[in-house]
Amino acid sequence: MGDVIRKKLFINEAISMIFTVFLMGHLLFVAYYHISYTADERDVRVQMNRFLVALRQEWKEDTVDVESLPMADFPYCIFDIDGRVLYTTMDDYSQAEIADLSTIGSSRYYSTPVVNEDQVKGMLLVDPSKERQKKLLTVFGMEAAPAFVWLLLIFVMRLRIGRMMKKDIWEPIGELHQSTRHILSGDLDAGVSYDYSGEIGTLCHDFEKMRDDIRDREMCQQRTSEKERALYASISHDLKTPIAIITGYLEQILYDVVTTPEKIHETAEHALNKAKLLNKLTEDILEHSKAQMNQLSIHKQEVFADSFFGNLMNEYKQEAMQQHYQFTYDTPPKVLIDIDTDRIAQVVQNIVSNAVKYGGEKLSIHVSFEILNPGYEDKILIVSIRDNGKGIEATDLPFVFDLFYRGNKARTQNIPGSGLGLNISRYIVEQHDGRIECDSVVGAGTTVSFSIPIP
């Protein structure tokens, strides 16, 4: 496909050159014939000698019996000894005209004296050029038709080349130029309609793909900007509320609204919890910023999954006892994995904390482990965290890992959070060459699973 236009041009140019060579050969042949015929005048001289013999025989005293002379293929003029024209078929002389015989003759005419009985009776003047011109016109008339055909063929081929250049090169280049101007002005919907095979077609296809990519990126940036605006509004709300609560608690202590040591301790504890919530929000924002700039540090090390996840599960089991929800887990497999332990612990923390926030009463969380493709080189460890909470709406499910996304219920129920936790978790898992997925049924619970390749 890459040489289509080049081949078209080459074939048409080759055919055009062949026609031109034939035409040039034809013209050279005609020129050679003309030169050879002009150079060979023997035929004219033979005819002239025959006419001169007949003229000598028919010459009278002062007249010439023209009727008895043979027909001549060339113009001629008969003069008497005094230069008077006795008979002529030449345009340059008229009947009975007196001419100076000493000046008659040139490279164009042939002249010879007419001798009868050893006496010079007069002179014969012949114009052989007329005969040559007549024959040459006949020759050119015979050759003009094929010459015209060759020229017509060349014209048609050149016309085809011109149309092909216009259709396959100039018009698509013009479309590319117009589309480029539209793109520069911000209009990303002005496409290129040229859709044929060849170099220009490939260029147009690549240009259209580039335009689609730019448009998709522009739309993605617009969506990101909208999400960022939503994030700023959410952060403003999420920060404003705990700050106001902390301020109220501190004012109660400062202005002696609470006076007993027990109440002061309880109020200070509430204020501390809200301060921790603010700290978690700021950490999420910082982590998100680092992930956006690909500066979120990942330091991998080889650890055994049973040891790492076993210790981590024990911590969450202790935390579950304190917060009064059930936490169970399967025994992690004894396999070697290459991970950033802090970042993978952060992923588990984000998933478990979401389950706790949205779980409701009688929350139960279970963590299971599974090895896919055992016995093969591309083994994968799957970690699944399942809860029996309220579940996620089907309309929200495709977007749970998107940037800044939070379901409508989280907003209406004033559940704290930035909507960054699962997005950051997806980034961390992908940096480990894994995948993270979510499956949920409203009223039945949610399962979030992520994979870790086993080296």
Side-chain angles (χ1 to χ4, degrees):
M1 184 175 66
D3 293 326
V4 173
I5 295 179
R6 187 182 304 171
K7 290 178 180 177
K8 286 183 180 179
L9 288 173
F10 176 79
I11 292 173
N12 284 274
E13 287 289 349
I15 296 175
S16 177
M17 288 300 298
I18 291 173
F19 288 159
T20 304
V21 169
F22 273 106
L23 177 61
M24 292 299 296
H26 170 74
L27 294 177
L28 288 174
F29 170 78
V30 172
Y32 173 78
Y33 183 86
H34 170 69
I35 295 172
S36 63
Y37 181 79
T38 303
D40 185 10
E41 299 175 348
R42 183 177 58 181
D43 184 43
V44 176
R45 292 185 179 276
V46 169
Q47 293 186 48
M48 181 178 174
N49 289 334
R50 291 176 182 173
F51 187 82
L52 184 59
V53 171
L55 179 61
R56 288 172 180 171
Q57 293 176 357
E58 300 300 330
W59 191 282
K60 304 299 182 183
E61 289 294 331
D62 295 323
T63 60
V64 178
D65 187 4
V66 180
E67 298 295 335
S68 301
L69 293 176
M71 296 294 295
D73 294 332
F74 43 79
Y76 64 92
C77 184
I78 302 173
F79 300 90
D80 63 10
I81 195 64
D82 297 324
R84 182 168 57 89
V85 178
L86 300 178
Y87 184 80
T88 181
T89 60
M90 297 173 61
D91 295 334
D92 296 343
Y93 298 95
S94 58
Q95 195 74 23
E97 177 184 351
I98 303 297
D100 186 1
L101 297 179
S102 63
T103 61
I104 292 176
S106 67
S107 59
R108 175 181 173 184
Y109 302 136
Y110 293 159
S111 62
T112 182
V114 180
V115 179
N116 190 6
E117 297 179 356
D118 297 330
Q119 290 184 358
V120 177
K121 297 293 184 178
M123 187 175 67
L124 174 65
L125 185 65
V126 175
D127 184 6
S129 63
K130 294 294 183 180
E131 178 65 15
R132 288 199 298 269
Q133 291 176 4
K134 180 180 177 181
K135 291 192 175 183
L136 286 175
L137 286 175
T138 302
V139 172
F140 276 107
M142 294 171 59
E143 300 296 337
F148 176 76
V149 172
W150 289 120
L151 288 175
L152 181 62
L153 289 174
I154 292 176
F155 173 76
V156 171
M157 292 306 303
R158 292 295 181 180
L159 182 62
R160 286 189 59 189
I161 293 174
R163 292 182 61 184
M164 184 189 66
M165 294 285 288
K166 179 182 178 182
K167 178 182 177 181
D168 292 339
I169 296 180
W170 310 131
E171 288 183 355
I173 288 179
E175 290 188 28
L176 288 171
H177 177 67
Q178 291 295 329
S179 182
T180 302
R181 292 173 64 90
H182 283 288
I183 291 174
L184 291 175
S185 64
D187 181 11
L188 298 176
D189 294 326
V192 178
S193 60
Y194 184 86
D195 189 20
Y196 297 93
S197 60
E199 294 89 338
I200 302 297
T202 302
L203 175 62
C204 291
H205 295 161
D206 293 342
F207 182 87
E208 282 295 281
K209 185 177 182 301
M210 179 193 70
R211 184 180 64 84
D212 291 339
D213 290 344
I214 294 175
R215 183 175 56 187
D216 292 343
R217 291 177 185 176
E218 183 71 18
M219 294 176 63
C220 182
Q221 289 179 356
Q222 291 178 358
R223 290 193 296 267
T224 301
S225 298
E226 293 174 357
K227 290 180 179 180
E228 285 179 346
R229 288 192 292 269
L231 171 67
Y232 297 147
S234 173
I235 290 176
S236 299
H237 176 270
D238 292 339
L239 292 179
K240 183 178 180 180
T241 301
I243 289 176
I245 295 174
I246 292 172
T247 302
Y249 287 148
L250 294 178
E251 287 177 347
Q252 291 179 22
I253 296 174
L254 181 63
Y255 297 115
D256 297 328
V257 176
V258 290
T259 56
T260 63
E262 294 80 5
K263 288 291 184 180
I264 294 174
H265 182 272
E266 181 181 356
T267 303
E269 186 176 5
H270 289 324
L272 178 61
N273 290 334
K274 294 300 179 182
K276 290 180 178 179
L277 176 61
L278 285 177
N279 185 57
K280 180 64 170 63
L281 288 174
T282 55
E283 287 180 354
D284 285 348
I285 295 172
L286 179 61
E287 293 289 294
H288 160 68
S289 299
K290 290 180 179 180
Q292 287 294 100
M293 296 183 293
N294 290 323
Q295 293 180 354
L296 191 63
S297 59
I298 302 292
H299 303 290
K300 296 181 182 180
Q301 59 178 333
E302 290 187 345
V303 296
F304 283 100
D306 59 338
S307 175
F308 168 72
F309 284 108
N311 294 332
L312 194 61
M313 296 300 103
N314 285 329
E315 294 178 8
Y316 284 110
K317 189 170 185 179
Q318 296 296 325
E319 183 178 322
M321 294 175 61
Q322 297 175 2
Q323 298 185 15
H324 307 291
Y325 66 88
Q326 185 178 4
F327 184 89
T328 58
Y329 61 92
D330 296 338
T331 302
K334 187 177 180 60
V335 292
L336 193 65
I337 53 178
D338 188 17
I339 60 172
D340 185 323
T341 55
D342 292 336
R343 295 302 181 188
I344 295 299
Q346 183 180 355
V347 172
V348 176
Q349 170 65 30
N350 289 335
I351 298 173
V352 171
S353 63
N354 277 346
V356 173
K357 282 191 294 185
Y358 301 104
E361 297 180 359
K362 297 182 179 180
L363 173 64
S364 174
I365 299 176
H366 180 75
V367 181
S368 61
F369 302 90
E370 180 184 4
I371 296 179
L372 295 183
N373 303 326
Y376 295 91
E377 293 184 358
D378 54 344
K379 295 188 296 293
I380 298 175
L381 174 63
I382 305 295
V383 181
S384 300
I385 302 174
R386 183 178 70 252
D387 66 64
N388 64 344
K390 299 176 181 179
I392 302 173
E393 295 283 352
T395 55
D396 293 333
L397 195 58
F399 310 105
V400 294
F401 296 105
D402 285 357
L403 195 61
F404 315 127
Y405 189 81
R406 296 182 70 197
N408 291 328
K409 287 186 177 180
R411 299 292 182 197
T412 57
Q413 295 175 358
N414 276 331
I415 298 177
S418 62
L420 295 173
L422 290 181
N423 181 264
I424 295 173
S425 298
R426 181 175 65 178
Y427 176 85
I428 294 173
V429 171
E430 289 177 351
Q431 292 300 306
H432 285 78
D433 299 323
R435 294 181 59 186
I436 186 169
E437 297 176 348
C438 179
D439 185 23
S440 182
V441 178
V442 175
T446 302
T447 301
V448 180
S449 303
F450 63 92
S451 62
I452 301 174
I454 300 175

